[in-house]
Amino acid sequence: MVGALFPAAVLLAAAAPVEHGQSRADSVLPGSAGSGPSISELVEITDMSSIAISPDGRSIAFRMERASVAANDFALGWYIVPTDGSAPPRRIADAGEGNRRDGELATEPPVWSADGRAILFRKVAGGEVQIWRAEADGSKSEALTRDAANVRRFALGPKPDTIVYSVGATRAAIEEAEEREYDEGVLVDARVDPARPLYRGARIEGRLASDRFSGRWFTFGTLLANAPSAYRLLDLRTGAMREATPEEATLIAETPRSPDIGNPRPVTAEARSGDRRGDALVTGEDFVSRLSVRRPDGRQIDCASPQCRRRIGRIAWQGGRDAVVFLSSDREGGQVFHLWTPGDGKVRRIAGGAGRWGGGRDRAGCAVDAAAIYCVAADANEPPRLVRVALSSGRVTTLADPNRVLARPGTLQFEAMHWSGPSGQAFTGQLMLPPGEQAGLPLFVTYYLCDGYLRGGVGDEFPLRQLAASGIAVLCIDRVPMRAGLANPVEQYRIGQEGVGEAVRILAERGIVDRSRVGMGGVSFGGETTMWIAQNSDLLAAISIGNTLLSPAYYWFNALPGSLIPPLLKQVWGIGRPEDDPARWELLSPVFATDKIGAPLLMQLPEREFRFNVELAARLGQAGKPVELWAFPEETHLKYQPKHKAAIYARNLDWFRFWLQGFVDPDPAKAEQYRRWQAMRGAAQDGAPATPRIQPSVSTIGSSR
């Protein structure tokens, strides 16, 4: 992740389908009828997140999120469904635009009113963030606050029918600061990202705003994001508002516990009970976790079971009981729920196996009460669905299944693959083979995370199912878990190379794939690993990445006095200024290894990151090597706009079919694309210099985004 160049440790009652606008120009690939969903269908999958259980435990509220390629926008709505699955979900309110950081939609469960008759939530709409209330019966949805500043956090107040909330600088003050900088100029210091527009170039809280770094790594916010919070109390019955007392403000005081990457035993998960039970903690230690409870009197109880020494991702108290639900990853790449009771030290398996709880998307995790766990479940072949997992029996009940049409008969299926490299390192992945003869196939590989329903790997950029339907075998490989704390990226890249190389060898020896026709693509760490393999082997015949790479431009853009980036690059990558350590730069930066890169390279990057890769494109192009660089406006790290996603999927499909199969789509609209690529292939074969193609995105950005 170079928008991240950084270790990831630092990353059966079915409901009716959600209605949406039709966009089916690519409904089936030539010769692939019945083999799987189209590109538009993949982009427009309904995701679910932000689960909250009602006070009486009879209902849950959750958010449905559906993209539209035609509108280049998203429809977010709040839904309620009975916890016993006795009725399908009901839409009760619009959920606004949602908040995004680096392209990822933030999860934010609503707050139920004390009487369970309504949910309260922050809503981003019209350039404002206010608190809204939606009746659970769907009869009404209205704004509760009309504050001049955007609401940062809120909670139910200490008395009935009150809420406490915090705000930052007013919207008028932020706009005034933007206008003042526009008129007087911008002091370019460590808060300024030179890769972004200086004036209103980032969408923050529903409006285009001038953004600045406001936290560690690449966290950004408005010009006044660091303004201290003001705390208010609102009486919902009278509408009266006053400043909150210090005691009231503690209800929403921000006390985050983020992992400390410099600590060999960082806290990676925490659940606070707020009562005599104390706090449950997960700390990392090498490649495993340690689960414990810290009582209010200072006593610490450690879980001694071997189940508590796996990689634990999420924890929660079992309602009001003195028991902790935790989610761990198994060696096969699946996830398992267990229940630990600190009083007697017993650990009991609840449910799990293949797939992901949270759907591979919801980082806030699942909701837990005394009786059940509620999660979005998904696996490689099963699209996201909302389920209830009974804590007593482990029985799983589906509460909402808006994507069931995607699992239609005839759909190609992924199969789990397990192997070990020459060093003994174990790897897991998901393999999909095309229909028909399965011998001597070209192969596409992506390496990083294969969470949930497989669409396009991390970032959703590689059309895995369409590639398979077109006759290309597809393999998604899970990144090997890192050691707790700091991880050596070079070691991680070499592990990735070992896993990819051994998988290719095994499949080639079995006669399934053609060793000379292997393509690879990735985003963030996956893109870095792809380029490492391209630089350090002759394994790949075509590559595509969706992220920035380490380069002198990247370094100096982020090296103004006061920037935290150079110290982190030194600490993690062991790399300083380019002139101080040329050997290390040649090892890590593709800019200094263009003579080693022989595979045709497609780069589809967000606007914020493409500038760092221009030098690489220019060097490869001047050397007569096939390269093409595309940039997508208003995107930061993970591209999210539906039209952009569809365009990236389609271009990657064409790219790998062209270089691995020699396929040229006869669509007249693509004639210019293939003219360029055929010229690249001819120039590369002749050894003549070729002009690098650096194209702006031609995708329309029409929508409120």
Side-chain angles (χ1 to χ4, degrees), residues 47-55 57-65 77-83 89 92 95 105-112 118-121 314 316 327 337 356-369 372-378 384-389 397-400 402:
D47 281 303
M48 292 161 283
S49 71
S50 308
I51 302 168
I53 307 169
S54 65
R58 296 181 179 179
S59 300
I60 60 170
F62 65 99
R63 192 176 67 190
M64 279 197 187
E65 306 140 8
W78 290 112
Y79 288 75
I80 286 182
V81 64
T83 55
I92 64 166
L105 183 63
T107 59
E108 189 173 352
V111 175
W112 281 88
I119 61 169
L120 283 64
F121 56 95
R314 299 171 185 142
L327 180 65
F337 277 118
R356 295 281 166 174
W357 303 105
R361 303 273 159 161
D362 188 352
R363 294 190 177 184
C366 309
V368 181
D369 64 10
I373 307 167
Y374 301 90
C375 288
V376 179
R385 58 203 180 280
L386 182 66
V387 301
R388 177 186 190 271
V389 184
T397 303
T398 300
L399 303 178

Side-chain angles (χ1 to χ4, degrees), residues 78 94-95 108-112 119-125 128-134 141-157 162-167 171 230-236 241 252:
W78 290 112
D94 175 74
E108 189 173 352
V111 175
W112 281 88
I119 61 169
L120 283 64
F121 56 95
R122 290 195 322 144
K123 182 175 179 178
V124 181
E128 299 185 14
V129 184
Q130 305 287 1
I131 303 171
W132 283 62
R133 173 187 170 108
S141 178
E142 61 181 349
L144 297 179
T145 60
R146 292 175 174 81
D147 206 288
N150 287 344
V151 175
R152 288 176 170 174
R153 295 164 63 88
F154 80 96
L156 297 181
T162 63
I163 56 175
V164 180
Y165 68 95
S166 64
V167 296
R171 291 182 294 280
Y231 298 89
R232 318 200 200 287
L233 183 138
L234 176 65
D235 189 314
L236 300 180
M241 185 186 70
I252 52 171

Side-chain angles (χ1 to χ4, degrees), residues 271 280 282 291 312-319 321-328 336-342 348 350 366-373 375 389 391:
V282 175
L291 176 62
I312 299 176
R314 299 171 185 142
I315 56 174
W317 290 99
Q318 186 192 2
R321 299 180 181 178
D322 190 23
V324 178
V325 175
F326 65 92
L327 180 65
S328 63
V336 180
F337 277 118
H338 288 85
L339 184 70
W340 171 49
T341 50
R348 176 171 60 85
I350 300 169
C366 309
V368 181
D369 64 10
I373 307 167
C375 288
V389 184
L391 285 168

